[in-house]
Amino acid sequence: MVSLKQLKYFDAVARSRHFGKAAEHCAVTQPALSMQIQELEKFLGVQLLERGRSGVMLTESGREIAERAARVLADVRDIVDVARQQGNVLAGPLGLGVIPSVAPYILPQLLPMVRDAFPDLDLHIRESQTQSLLSELLDGQLDVLLLALPVEHPDIETVRLFDDRFLLAMAASHRMSNRVKATPDLLEGEKLLLLEEGHCMREQALAFCSLRRIENINTFGASSLSTLVQMVANGLGMTLLPELAVPLESRRGDIRLMRFADPEPQRVIGLAWRRSSPRKRHFEELGQMIARTTAPQSQ
């Protein structure tokens, strides 16, 4: 019979591709972990892993079973949550994933509020790009995500929290016409600075500006909004800055901000969780708290 312990150990090896790291993650000895996986392979009658000098690789059967094992373990965590959350609001472990263009601008205000309101909550924060967070949500490593919507997946449910408008940011010394508001054509002769590939904000900016050419787009070293702002302040180009980031990123006063003419470009910030999770009402309560912390920006 397949045990949850065997699935847990196999899942750890499948993720880390390393027996030693997997054993450390599972808090067991490497021989004990290896034995359980060998018993799993024997019971299933298939080889799950290829062990070589370069490390551990999944066989074709191993890849499919690893995906199913991750889903089983996520369902088990949901079962535990059902029992743990009865009568409690935001208590116990909670894995929150946040995209990098949101985390620095919400978490400093949010975390003290969460700590004071929910002292029994064991919150774990993971900051990463959207696709990585969605993958970790679906396989149960994370419970809820704070990110830009929409998220289109049949197993994921979302709630909209607030709209985050984009402003045009340029160096304070940049000479401008007498325009009151910016329009996409203003960027045609300028260097547009964007985040690196993989950031959802990059695609949102490109879509608004109708830009698909790469010759006027500079992403060198642009792994964060703070980096972009420093590049803009030093005259290397312009960027689209979300209003959420303005209070923090414009403090030095070496950039100029312009609002766009209607319709203003914006992104929608919301929460996402597994549709099977029993903690929907808790996530919605967390969402309400997040919306309150961002009220000045969302109006």
Side-chain angles (χ1 to χ4, degrees):
M1 189 70 177
V2 175
S3 69
L4 288 176
K5 179 188 294 185
Q6 291 170 341
L7 293 181
K8 178 183 177 182
Y9 291 176
F10 174 56
D11 178 71
V13 175
R15 294 182 191 282
S16 64
R17 306 298 173 92
H18 193 280
F19 276 90
K21 293 179 180 178
E24 183 178 354
H25 175 76
C26 296
V28 296
T29 64
Q30 186 170 329
L33 180 138
S34 297
M35 183 181 67
Q36 289 292 327
I37 292 179
Q38 289 172 6
E39 291 183 1
L40 177 61
E41 290 179 316
K42 182 178 179 181
F43 179 83
L44 296 176
V46 295
Q47 183 179 351
L48 301 175
L49 302 168
E50 294 181 18
R51 304 157 177 85
R53 293 182 179 179
S54 59
V56 179
M57 296 182 295
L58 293 170
T59 64
E60 184 176 352
S61 296
R63 285 192 294 271
E64 181 175 354
I65 292 174
E67 292 176 1
R68 293 178 180 272
R71 290 198 293 269
V72 168
L73 292 171
D75 287 342
V76 170
R77 280 187 283 269
D78 286 344
I79 290 173
V80 174
D81 281 343
V82 169
R84 179 183 289 126
Q85 298 304 316
Q86 292 300 315
N88 295 317
V89 175
L90 285 176
L94 180 72
L96 172 64
V98 192
I99 57 175
S101 61
V102 168
Y105 313 111
I106 285 186
L107 294 185
Q109 295 79 29
L110 177 65
L111 294 183
M113 294 176 61
V114 170
R115 180 192 60 215
D116 294 341
F118 309 108
D120 294 328
L121 182 67
D122 181 16
L123 186 62
H124 301 271
I125 304 293
R126 167 90 162 104
E127 181 181 333
S128 189
Q129 295 181 9
T130 299
Q131 289 305 313
S132 295
L133 294 180
L134 289 173
S135 176
E136 294 178 29
L137 175 69
L138 288 169
D139 63 25
Q141 295 183 73
L142 293 171
D143 299 298
V144 62
L145 308 180
L146 177 59
L147 74 179
L149 300 180
V151 172
E152 297 179 356
H153 193 286
D155 297 328
I156 294 178
E157 188 170 354
T158 63
V159 63
R160 179 185 187 131
L161 298 182
F162 62 92
D163 296 334
D164 189 21
R165 296 173 293 184
F166 290 113
L167 286 79
L168 180 63
M170 66 197 78
S173 59
H174 194 288
R175 292 185 178 181
M176 288 291 298
S177 63
N178 293 325
R179 291 196 188 197
V180 177
K181 292 190 175 183
T183 55
D185 64 279
L186 189 62
L187 293 167
E188 288 183 359
E190 300 287 343
K191 180 76 74 173
L192 180 62
L193 307 177
L194 298 176
L195 294 174
E196 294 172 331
E197 294 281 355
H199 289 270
C200 59
M201 223 188 82
R202 172 189 173 88
E203 296 305 316
Q204 293 161 347
L206 286 174
F208 170 72
C209 299
S210 299
L211 290 172
R212 291 297 169 185
R213 306 186 313 276
I214 63 172
E215 60 265 22
N216 69 327
I217 298 173
N218 186 341
T219 59
F220 178 75
S223 59
S224 70
L225 287 177
S226 293
T227 300
L228 282 183
V229 169
Q230 291 301 314
M231 295 169 71
V232 167
N234 284 279
L236 300 181
M238 297 181 174
T239 194
L240 271 66
L241 188 66
E243 192 171 18
L244 185 67
V246 167
L248 180 62
E249 300 297 351
S250 64
R251 286 183 303 180
R252 296 197 338 169
D254 49 6
I255 62 171
R256 176 188 300 175
L257 298 172
M258 287 184 68
R259 288 207 174 276
F260 282 93
D262 292 332
E264 290 183 275
Q266 64 181 29
R267 60 179 180 171
V268 178
I269 302 300
L271 289 180
W273 59 85
R274 292 186 305 281
R275 195 173 295 275
S276 62
S277 175
R279 306 177 75 175
K280 176 178 178 177
R281 67 183 180 93
H282 303 151
F283 300 150
E284 290 176 335
E285 182 166 349
L286 177 63
Q288 292 170 6
M289 179 174 288
I290 292 171
R292 289 196 296 271
T293 67
T294 59
Q297 289 80 28
S298 60
Q299 294 177 353

